[in-house]
Amino acid sequence: MSTLPTPGEEKAASRNFIEQIIDADLAAGKNAGRVHTRFPPEPNGYLHIGHAKSICLNCGLAQQFGGKFNLRFDDTNPAKEEQEYVDSIIGDVRWLGGDWEDRMFFASDYFEQLHDWAVALIKLSKAFVCDLTADQMREYRGTLVEPGKNSPFRERSIAENLDLFARMRAGEFPDGARTLRAKIDMAAPNINLRDPVMYRIKHAHHHRTGDKWCIYPSYDYTHGQSDSIEGITHSICTLEFENHRPLYNWFCRELGIHHPQQIEFARLNLTYTVMSKRKLLQLVTEKHVAGWDDPRMLTIGGLRRRGYTPEAIRAFCERIGVAKFNSTIDMAWLEDAIREDLNERAPRALAVMRPLKVVLTNLEPGEVREIEAANHPQKPELGTRTLPLTREIFIEQDDFMEEAPKKFFRLKPGGEVRLRNAGIILCNEVVKDAAGQITELHCTFDPDHSRKVKGTIHWVSATRGVSAEVRLYDHLFAAEYPEDVPEGQTFLDSINPNSLEMVTAWVEPGLAQAEPGCRFQFERLGYFCVDVVDSQSGKLVFNRTATLRDSWAKEKE
RNA sequence: UGGGGAAUAGUGUAACGGUAGCACUCCGGACUCUGACUCCGUCAGUCUAGGUUCAAAUCCUAGUUCCCCAGCCA
């Protein structure tokens, strides 16, 4: 995903702060020169573009330094986790190109070891069973500015703690009755160090361990040790875990086990969208979108269905960089990334979104001229295809103006324009209905290609083209920062009412055979893909992945 | 009246006491059978105030602003 600067290069490629840390570790001989990272999702939802940043970072670092990359599920809370999410996450990470080889793990794989370590900490007097209720524990914890006070159960004997913990595991107590806590410091200014919970009682069915356990380890007690077991060297997570690092270190140190280094980076924020799982879920459950894979969603599934490529997403993640500053990336960068990729690889096609009929009066009814068209203007190796030109064709309504401004390079009465790949037409007559609406144009066709005309427009045969449903997507939110809302409003108030427009378009006949997932550039319009869910032969559905840049649209304003 | 982080063009990101660089955007231009692509060019930045130094984005002092933390969530 990233590449090392080639030796001998004048100036070394700039390195982000994590690469610099690893450079220094390697130089110091840490971890015997190993680099081992991991992506540790909790299987409680679908992955989104923010996770892609983490996946690309972790996986890219491993690749760059000749190291390894694990996929590990942090499945310590059975109340929220499901196999369905595990499956979708595996598919998404793989689709993005993350390669964990044979190293897919689950924190639940380590439950027995984690339990044994907890017993060891009890024996060291570093952990105790606490009978405080959740409410009481909150009171004892103190506040951000006041120290907490010790639990009355903090000084239980090792024997009693061992007995109680065993009985917790054996299922003798109801949910919430007791916890196992680390014995650290109730006066610590970092609240995470105020005797944090290691185990809680939850009589819940776990998607992997079933009913084997009724006590479950907390994130803080699980994460670092799981990293340690896997031999992770650099445990990369997001900024909100900075306050947890001392705890991460405490467990590794007290247990005397391999001690990975936790490094925090800023999570991804994008304009015109929201990123939190909760809000994404709300969009789905309140039916503001059609589902988790709605092409307007920035979930990996949504992006995939929208027509994004893994390569584009990786290029995007590469370009945004990694730092500790809470930044917000302009959504246009994501769109640029897919345009850049698809411009290279997407075959060109002709399609008309809003048809205006044009009669080529010098062609016979029933006459079909075969027009050869290149599949890619810069890549002759992609070959050509044949387009049928007939007496009746469709052009885009936008490509004709009765009273055109001087810089309008398209068709106007008495004017000429080039039909992409075919020839030049001259507009002789504008036909209108009784209401004065333009119904069709009468033009004469000139197959001579040599003449220069200013404009070129796309077209589709009205008799040979096929119709298709085309879904034109725009940003899901109209506001650049949907979360910055006036008092009394929520992010939902800035939903863009026009984020989806459906049109019945006409596409060149060859597209009738396009397989679901196929991507094209509809010339002068944008990049489109055949929808993998709803498209069928005979009932084509295209999703607009991204528009092309349109300097004429700016000019008009 | 706590603790932990972060501030560099419009947006991101480098520079680690020694020429503030790169990318995207914007704007201008060239090219063009896609008003696309490509190419060329312009504009534009160190949060503030002091200090140290021949030299400060970088070190020091004092402020300002923003983010995170009081789950038996992760």
Side-chain angles (χ1 to χ4, degrees):
Chain A
M1 294 186 180
S2 302
T3 48
L4 230 34
T6 45
E9 225 173 282
E10 275 252 335
K11 210 174 172 182
S14 68
R15 326 218 74 200
N16 66 51
F17 79 102
I18 300 178
E19 292 168 327
Q20 292 179 26
I21 290 170
I22 298 178
D23 284 341
D25 288 347
L26 257 21
K30 250 179 102 175
N31 301 307
R34 284 187 314 115
V35 172
H36 201 150
T37 60
R38 100 268 95 113
F39 173 62
E42 182 189 15
N44 69 343
Y46 296 91
L47 260 28
H48 55 63
I49 184 73
H51 296 105
K53 177 179 180 183
S54 173
I55 293 164
C56 291
L57 210 209
N58 278 291
C59 191
L61 250 14
Q63 231 169 278
Q64 178 186 168
F65 288 96
K68 290 176 176 170
F69 166 77
N70 292 5
L71 173 61
R72 182 182 69 243
F73 290 91
D74 256 356
D75 56 347
T76 57
N77 186 357
K80 294 187 172 180
E81 297 151 6
E82 289 173 33
Q83 186 61 39
E84 180 198 346
Y85 297 127
V86 172
D87 297 337
S88 91
I89 289 169
I90 290 171
D92 286 348
V93 177
R94 184 173 289 144
W95 178 77
L96 269 173
D99 183 9
W100 58 85
E101 300 175 287
D102 59 349
R103 293 178 308 279
M104 177 171 80
F105 300 116
F106 293 81
S108 55
D109 295 339
Y110 313 136
F111 280 176
E112 202 65 56
Q113 171 68 262
L114 258 8
H115 170 271
D116 292 348
W117 276 333
V119 169
L121 288 175
I122 292 172
K123 288 177 177 167
L124 256 20
S125 261
K126 297 287 187 182
F128 67 98
V129 172
C130 182
D131 300 357
L132 252 26
T133 64
D135 284 342
Q136 291 170 322
M137 201 181 292
R138 186 161 39 247
E139 276 173 41
Y140 276 79
R141 187 158 33 228
T143 70
L144 291 176
V145 294
E146 296 158 338
K149 51 186 193 223
N150 287 347
S151 161
F153 306 98
R154 200 173 197 259
E155 298 310 326
R156 284 218 252 234
S157 71
I158 289 172
E160 189 184 5
N161 281 319
L162 251 16
D163 173 63
L164 252 14
F165 187 51
R167 290 164 61 192
M168 279 170 64
R169 178 182 184 175
E172 281 190 33
F173 312 117
D175 287 6
R178 294 181 215 265
T179 54
L180 183 72
R181 296 223 257 163
K183 199 185 285 185
I184 307 181
D185 178 7
M186 288 307 291
N190 180 344
I191 290 179
N192 293 121
L193 263 16
R194 320 240 261 230
D195 292 4
V197 169
M198 295 164 58
Y199 273 91
R200 67 276 215 199
I201 300 171
K202 268 181 204 274
H203 292 269
H205 187 83
H206 187 281
H207 64 103
R208 298 197 88 234
T209 59
D211 297 315
K212 181 174 180 194
W213 295 88
C214 61
I215 54 171
Y216 289 93
S218 64
Y219 164 85
D220 284 309
Y221 181 64
T222 307
H223 198 91
Q225 290 95 302
S226 300
D227 283 341
S228 180
I229 290 169
E230 294 177 19
I232 299 303
T233 55
H234 302 271
S235 177
I236 299 165
C237 60
T238 43
L239 250 27
E240 66 269 28
F241 292 103
E242 275 180 321
N243 293 333
H244 293 247
R245 187 172 357 116
L247 230 200
Y248 183 110
N249 294 340
W250 191 88
F251 284 121
C252 283
R253 203 183 324 115
E254 296 299 330
L255 258 10
I257 57 179
H258 165 66
H259 192 156
Q261 180 179 4
Q262 176 176 309
I263 303 168
E264 310 85 11
F265 71 97
R267 64 187 334 150
L268 172 65
N269 297 294
L270 279 172
T271 56
Y272 299 105
T273 194
V274 295
M275 208 66 95
S276 84
K277 253 178 205 174
R278 201 201 98 238
K279 286 176 179 146
L280 259 18
L281 176 68
Q282 198 177 348
L283 290 169
V284 173
T285 56
E286 294 180 10
K287 309 235 186 270
H288 296 106
V289 294
W292 284 99
D293 66 344
D294 186 297
R296 289 165 294 182
M297 293 282 276
L298 293 184
T299 51
I300 303 302
L303 288 164
R304 180 166 53 223
R305 188 168 169 196
R306 175 83 171 247
Y308 272 73
T309 60
E311 291 83 358
I313 294 173
R314 277 188 251 136
F316 168 75
C317 291
E318 191 67 39
R319 192 175 304 173
I320 59 177
V322 180
K324 301 192 77 157
F325 177 62
N326 270 308
S327 60
T328 301
I329 309 286
D330 193 321
M331 179 73 89
W333 282 35
L334 225 205
E335 291 160 1
D336 277 341
I338 188 61
R339 280 193 198 108
E340 204 167 288
D341 187 31
L342 258 21
N343 178 49
E344 287 295 313
R345 58 209 288 185
R348 312 286 122 127
L350 261 28
V352 173
M353 297 295 115
R354 295 174 180 86
L356 169 61
K357 187 190 277 185
V358 172
V359 180
L360 304 177
T361 52
N362 58 335
L363 264 59
E364 299 300 322
E367 178 181 356
V368 178
R369 297 205 187 183
E370 297 201 329
I371 305 293
E372 192 179 31
N375 288 328
H376 194 294
Q378 281 87 33
K379 291 178 189 282
E381 66 273 20
L382 260 41
T384 62
R385 66 196 189 281
T386 302
L387 265 18
L389 179 71
T390 53
R391 180 179 163 91
E392 294 192 348
I393 61 170
F394 291 126
I395 66 168
E396 208 70 59
Q397 287 171 15
D398 282 353
D399 285 339
F400 175 79
M401 278 184 93
E402 246 190 315
E403 283 163 49
K406 48 231 154 288
K407 295 189 102 177
F408 186 77
F409 302 148
R410 286 110 100 142
L411 194 59
K412 52 193 169 195
E416 283 191 325
V417 78
R418 186 186 303 276
L419 247 29
R420 179 68 168 156
N421 299 306
I424 293 166
I425 58 172
L426 169 66
C427 180
N428 301 306
E429 190 185 349
V430 180
V431 181
K432 296 180 183 177
D433 62 15
Q437 292 294 307
I438 299 172
T439 54
E440 59 185 45
L441 267 23
H442 287 185
C443 300
T444 47
F445 174 71
D446 177 359
D448 178 15
H449 279 233
S450 59
R451 248 159 58 238
K452 282 239 184 250
V453 290
K454 190 68 183 166
T456 298
I457 63 172
H458 55 277
W459 55 277
V460 171
S461 164
T463 44
R464 295 297 190 91
V466 298
S467 73
E469 176 179 321
V470 177
R471 299 169 180 176
L472 304 171
Y473 296 107
D474 195 358
H475 300 151
L476 224 200
F477 291 90
E480 195 168 1
Y481 302 97
E483 273 147 330
D484 291 353
V485 290
E487 269 293 310
Q489 288 195 10
T490 74
F491 74 104
L492 295 170
D493 291 299
S494 55
I495 282 187
N496 174 8
N498 306 311
S499 63
L500 169 58
E501 185 185 358
M502 304 236 259
V503 297
T504 300
W506 290 85
V507 302
E508 59 176 76
L511 259 32
Q513 273 74 51
E515 296 289 327
C518 276
R519 304 178 180 92
F520 300 91
Q521 184 198 91
F522 290 170
E523 290 196 78
R524 302 212 307 131
L525 294 173
Y527 297 97
F528 295 75
C529 69
V530 182
D531 187 68
V532 290
V533 176
D534 295 330
S535 197
Q536 306 162 13
S537 70
K539 186 189 170 294
L540 281 173
V541 177
F542 285 93
N543 294 322
R544 183 170 70 194
T545 308
T547 59
L548 254 30
R549 277 206 189 79
D550 186 357
S551 49
W552 167 241
K554 277 179 218 155
E555 181 82 24
K556 277 193 295 189
E557 287 166 12

